[in-house]
């Protein structure tokens, strides 16, 4: 098979053509491939973040009831500066400031994170109600999401999440023998049993939420990705998300994570074809981009369409920068002059990704991950690039397999 990096086209290559491609002197074939490479497909589009902030992630707390071994938020959810709860009185004017700058169309997204955000449900309710009030009658759809450790899924908190039709991501790294070791309570006891009980209540009312995702983080100490996938499948989640730790630079673990991700892709496809494979968030994202022929030039909208509000109402471009005063780009309703200027250019340009075949499906990679490895958010982390290219390649192979029956044969050298 072949892949057109710029047009996001997948081509099927006959065995005869593949054989000819091994002949370096085949001028006719080289000419055909050059012509294809130079083609511009007008149907291919590029996702360009708007120049207005359309998404805010809010640290409603900077405390947590767990002490995860790999926590990148200061080791205890505080980002090095504990804050029991955000000031709603300071946050509402901040929301007003950003919402008044938004054109009357599209979606405005609010994400609730911590620490553990469900330690302050009253703050979540007050913020959500205010956003709904501010967007009413403006043709703006307010969308809410939360990342929670799942230990506080009480009836009252579930009712709150129902009330705002929340998209819910529950962090759990697999079955108890792995999750309890990585995500213990602060008293040292395991958290898995409590999370599972909460999940059962959550899924019993599944139709009342936006979506439910199960999310695991994997480090050198826990590379049991396939076992986590098997564990997740007992729950009727909308999506499963598998993340390699943002601060783990272990090459062997990185390679193992890639192999495990390929394994769960094979498991999913064998069991349920494209539908099952696309429940894994990474593969769903690549399939969507290929189906829509939609190029991505930015791994995320940090500093472009997205900002973070910490529990002290400071502004950052990335959730992992919270607590680092040097990375602060604003305070309250003030965005520091020139602070967002460096984010104006596409990441694939700033990160020098122009020669990478996977650039329009990766978007330049995570700036925080790059900085953790190299000291600069625009100097690429080689391990991240290797993992991403490998998994993008896996996704393209399954995309081709899934779409094969829908593709009509092309007479040019067996290209489809």
């Amino acid at each position: 098979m072949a892949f057109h990096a710029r047009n996001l086209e997948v081509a099927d290559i006959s065995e005869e053509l593949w054989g000819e491609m091994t002949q370096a002197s085949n001028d006719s074939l080289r000419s055909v491939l050059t012509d294809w490479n130079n083609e511009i497909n007008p149907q291919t589009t590029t996702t360009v973040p708007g120049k207005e902030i359309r998404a805010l992630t809010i640290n409603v707390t900077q405390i947590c009831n767990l002490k995860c071994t790999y926590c990148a938020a200061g080791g205890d959810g505080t980002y090095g500066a504990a804050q029991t709860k955000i000031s709603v009185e300071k946050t509402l004017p901040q929301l007003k400031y950003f919402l008044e700058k938004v054109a009357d169309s599209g979606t405005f997204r609010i994400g609730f994170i911590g620490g553990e955000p469900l330690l302050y449900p009253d703050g979540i309710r007050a913020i959500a109600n205010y956003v709904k009030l501010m967007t009413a009658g403006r043709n703006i759809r307010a969308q809410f999401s939360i990342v929670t450790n799942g230990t506080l899924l009480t009836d009252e908190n579930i009712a709150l999440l129902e009330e705002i039709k929340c998209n819910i991501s529950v962090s759990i790294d697999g079955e108890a023998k792995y999750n309890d070791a990585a995500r213990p309570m602060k008293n040292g006891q395991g958290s898995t049993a409590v999370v599972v009980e909460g999940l059962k209540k959550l899924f019993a009312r599944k139709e009342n939420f936006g979506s439910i995702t199960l999310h695991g983080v994997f480090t050198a100490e826990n590379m049991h990705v396939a076992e986590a996938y098997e564990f997740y499948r007992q729950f009727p989640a909308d999506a499963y998300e598998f993340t390699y730790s943002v601060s783990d630079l272990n090459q062997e673990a990185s390679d193992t994570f890639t192999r495990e991700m390929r394994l769960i892709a094979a498991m999913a496809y064998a069991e349920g074809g494209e539908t099952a494979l696309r429940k894994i968030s990474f593969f769903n994202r690549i399939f969507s981009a290929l189906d829509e022929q939609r190029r991505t030039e930015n791994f995320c909208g940090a500093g472009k369409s997205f900002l973070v509000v910490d529990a002290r109402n400071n502004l950052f471009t990335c959730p992992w920068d919270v607590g680092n005063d040097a990375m602060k780009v604003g305070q309250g309703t003030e965005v520091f002059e020139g602070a967002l200027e460096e984010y104006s250019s596409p990441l694939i340009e700033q990160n020098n990704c122009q020669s990478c075949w996977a650039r329009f499906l990766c978007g330049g990679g995570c700036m925080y991950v790059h900085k953790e490895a190299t000291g600069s958010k625009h100097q690429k982390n080689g391990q991240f690039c290797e993992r991403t290219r490998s998994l993008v390649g896996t996704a393209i192979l399954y995309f081709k397999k899934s779409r094969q029956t829908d593709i009509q044969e092309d007479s040019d050298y067996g290209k489809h």
Side-chain angles (χ1 to χ4, degrees):
M1 59 176 291
F3 175 62
H4 197 300
R6 188 177 61 256
N7 291 344
L8 303 187
E9 295 172 342
V10 178
D12 189 29
I13 298 175
S14 67
E15 290 186 27
E16 292 78 15
L17 174 59
W18 183 258
E20 290 185 49
M21 288 177 70
T22 64
Q23 302 174 31
S25 61
N26 192 323
D27 293 333
S28 176
L29 174 59
R30 186 179 298 109
S31 175
V32 171
L33 292 175
T34 299
D35 288 345
W36 184 42
N37 182 60
N38 292 335
E39 284 180 7
I40 296 176
N41 187 338
Q43 294 182 336
T44 307
T45 60
T46 300
T47 300
V48 180
K51 295 182 179 180
E52 57 189 15
I53 300 302
R54 282 274 181 173
L56 291 172
T57 290
I58 303 175
N59 289 80
V60 291
T61 66
Q62 281 176 217
I63 55 172
C64 190
N65 58 338
L66 298 188
K67 194 170 180 61
C68 301
T69 57
Y70 53 76
C71 178
D76 54 4
T78 67
Y79 297 88
Q83 182 79 3
T84 304
K85 58 185 180 181
I86 198 169
S87 167
V88 172
E89 291 75 16
K90 293 179 180 179
T91 304
L92 299 190
Q94 204 168 22
L95 291 168
K96 183 174 185 288
Y97 171 81
F98 287 108
L99 284 165
E100 285 182 341
K101 293 180 175 295
V102 174
D104 289 357
S105 63
T107 301
F108 194 90
R109 296 178 173 85
I110 296 288
F112 298 110
I113 63 172
E116 170 48 47
L118 287 176
L119 286 169
Y120 188 30
D122 290 344
I124 293 173
R125 178 178 285 105
I127 290 169
N129 286 342
Y130 184 77
V131 170
K132 287 191 287 187
L133 178 66
M134 286 290 292
T135 55
R138 292 187 56 196
N139 194 31
I140 297 175
R141 184 169 71 97
Q143 187 178 84
F144 303 100
S145 63
I146 190 170
V147 178
T148 173
N149 62 34
T151 62
L152 298 174
L153 292 171
T154 62
D155 291 338
E156 294 79 7
N157 284 340
I158 290 175
L160 165 62
L161 300 179
E162 287 177 316
E163 183 183 319
I164 63 176
K165 198 71 176 177
C166 202
N167 296 310
I168 304 167
S169 179
V170 178
S171 299
I172 184 168
D173 297 345
E175 57 184 303
K177 63 181 176 180
Y178 304 123
N179 188 70
D180 284 348
R183 303 177 61 80
M185 297 284 196
K186 283 195 170 179
N187 61 10
Q189 294 182 350
S191 61
T192 309
V194 177
V195 178
V196 169
E197 285 305 306
L199 286 174
K200 289 177 181 177
K201 290 192 285 187
L202 202 64
F203 285 114
R205 293 146 75 168
K206 184 175 183 292
E207 68 280 0
N208 299 330
F209 309 107
S211 65
I212 302 176
T213 298
L214 298 181
H215 175 228
V217 176
F218 298 88
T219 68
E221 285 69 42
N222 175 19
M223 276 293 126
H224 302 281
V225 181
E227 290 182 56
Y229 176 63
E230 292 280 18
F231 174 79
Y232 290 166
R233 288 196 296 175
Q234 68 182 291
F235 303 105
D238 297 290
Y240 309 128
E241 189 166 9
F242 303 86
T243 301
Y244 187 79
S245 173
V246 295
S247 56
D248 200 320
L249 301 177
N250 184 303
Q251 183 65 57
E252 183 179 353
S254 179
D255 293 342
T256 300
F257 179 81
T258 304
R259 289 194 297 271
E260 289 279 305
M261 286 293 289
R262 290 201 295 261
L263 175 58
I264 65 172
M267 292 165 62
Y269 198 84
E271 180 177 345
E274 179 182 340
T275 300
L277 181 64
R278 293 186 69 164
K279 288 190 74 171
I280 302 170
S281 297
F282 178 88
F283 296 108
N284 181 59
R285 181 171 63 81
I286 302 301
F287 267 60
S288 294
L290 293 173
D291 273 335
E292 299 168 19
Q293 290 187 288
R294 171 176 38 80
R295 290 184 291 251
T296 296
E297 293 185 337
N298 299 280
F299 182 79
C300 70
K304 297 178 173 67
S305 59
F306 164 78
L307 288 177
V308 178
V309 181
D310 78 355
R312 290 176 172 79
N313 297 98
N314 297 309
L315 295 171
F316 297 86
T317 62
C318 173
W320 300 118
D321 286 335
V322 170
N324 183 352
D325 285 344
M327 300 303 297
K328 188 164 66 173
V329 297
Q331 165 71 43
T333 59
E334 178 191 7
V335 178
F336 300 153
E337 185 176 356
L340 301 181
E341 187 174 337
E342 68 168 300
Y343 298 94
S344 59
S345 301
L347 277 181
I348 60 170
E349 294 179 8
Q350 294 193 67
N351 296 351
N352 296 313
C353 302
Q354 292 88 340
S355 62
C356 177
W357 63 266
R359 63 192 181 279
F360 289 124
L361 293 173
C362 168
C366 172
M367 289 183 282
Y368 183 84
V369 170
H370 292 334
K371 186 177 180 181
E372 282 287 284
T374 68
S376 169
K377 55 189 163 187
H378 299 309
Q379 184 177 337
K380 297 185 291 294
N381 172 354
Q383 287 183 11
F384 178 93
C385 295
E386 289 172 11
R387 286 196 306 273
T388 300
R389 280 193 292 265
S390 178
L391 295 177
V392 167
T394 298
I396 292 173
L397 286 167
Y398 281 106
F399 179 84
K400 180 221 174 191
K401 189 173 183 178
S402 300
R403 298 291 182 271
Q404 191 108 39
T405 56
D406 301 327
I407 300 173
Q408 298 299 315
E409 184 171 0
D410 190 304
S411 60
D412 291 340
Y413 287 89
K415 181 167 74 74
H416 290 61

